[in-house]
Amino acid sequence: MAESYPTLLAGQRITASLLRSMQPQVGRKTADTSITASTTPVADPHITFNVEAGAVYTWVGWVKYDGATGGDILLTFTAPSGALGEWAGHGAGITVIGAQSTPTLETDTVRTNGYMQRTESNDVTQSRSFGALGVGNALTVFLKGTLRVASTAGTFALSWAQNASNATATTLYTDSYISLQRIA
């Protein structure tokens, strides 16, 4: 049976608070954020949520970034103690290979490169790296996942850093977002 939150009962009074609890929370970047020469993930200042003890959430999102080819980007999530779940990010792998390589990959419209696509399933707080093509060549990662909060409420946030320390900044761009929906 499909899950939903909250469970509405016959005769229950519909309040603004009840209706708000049924809506997804959206964390959207309202400004670019850059990280330079650091591989220590930090919570993004815009994509952060308060989550309830015992709750179950699903999320979807999209992030746009660029950075030095050698710096790349590392994405992970912070969650309250004891939280479980899974996430996947569909984006360029660290190895960006030439279109003339064997096997040949799709040629990008900006550059003659192809991308190895990352599609692994990850534990909710496990990190994953994604490739970069250099400043001015933005890439994206589509995100989705689940979060099962244990007995401790707290903060759920997208955390990120450079995958390899680089003097050229890695930037996460305005309008990147995650939409978090409580389902139980």
Side-chain angles (χ1 to χ4, degrees), residues 33-41 63-76 91-97 111 113-116 118 128-135 137-141 159-173:
T33 304
S34 297
I35 294 177
T36 303
S38 178
T39 59
T40 303
V63 294
K64 176 182 174 183
Y65 68 96
D66 77 7
T69 302
D72 302 316
I73 192 168
L74 181 77
L75 301 178
T76 188
I94 291 298
T95 304
V96 180
I97 66 175
R111 296 172 49 152
N113 289 326
Y115 308 109
M116 297 300 294
R118 293 211 75 161
R128 275 291 171 235
S129 55
F130 295 91
L133 289 176
V135 174
N137 295 296
L139 294 173
T140 62
V141 178
S159 294
W160 64 282
Q162 291 180 316
N163 188 55
S165 183
N166 196 288
T168 300
T170 298
T171 302
L172 198 60
Y173 286 108

Side-chain angles (χ1 to χ4, degrees), residues 95-116 133 137 139:
T95 304
V96 180
I97 66 175
Q100 303 306 314
S101 300
T102 302
T104 301
L105 296 179
E106 185 69 28
T107 301
D108 182 271
T109 58
V110 177
R111 296 172 49 152
T112 309
N113 289 326
Y115 308 109
M116 297 300 294
L133 289 176
N137 295 296
L139 294 173

Side-chain angles (χ1 to χ4, degrees), residues 46-69:
H46 303 108
I47 305 178
T48 302
F49 306 90
N50 292 321
V51 294
E52 300 295 324
V56 178
Y57 299 87
T58 60
W59 80 85
V60 296
W62 170 86
V63 294
K64 176 182 174 183
Y65 68 96
D66 77 7
T69 302

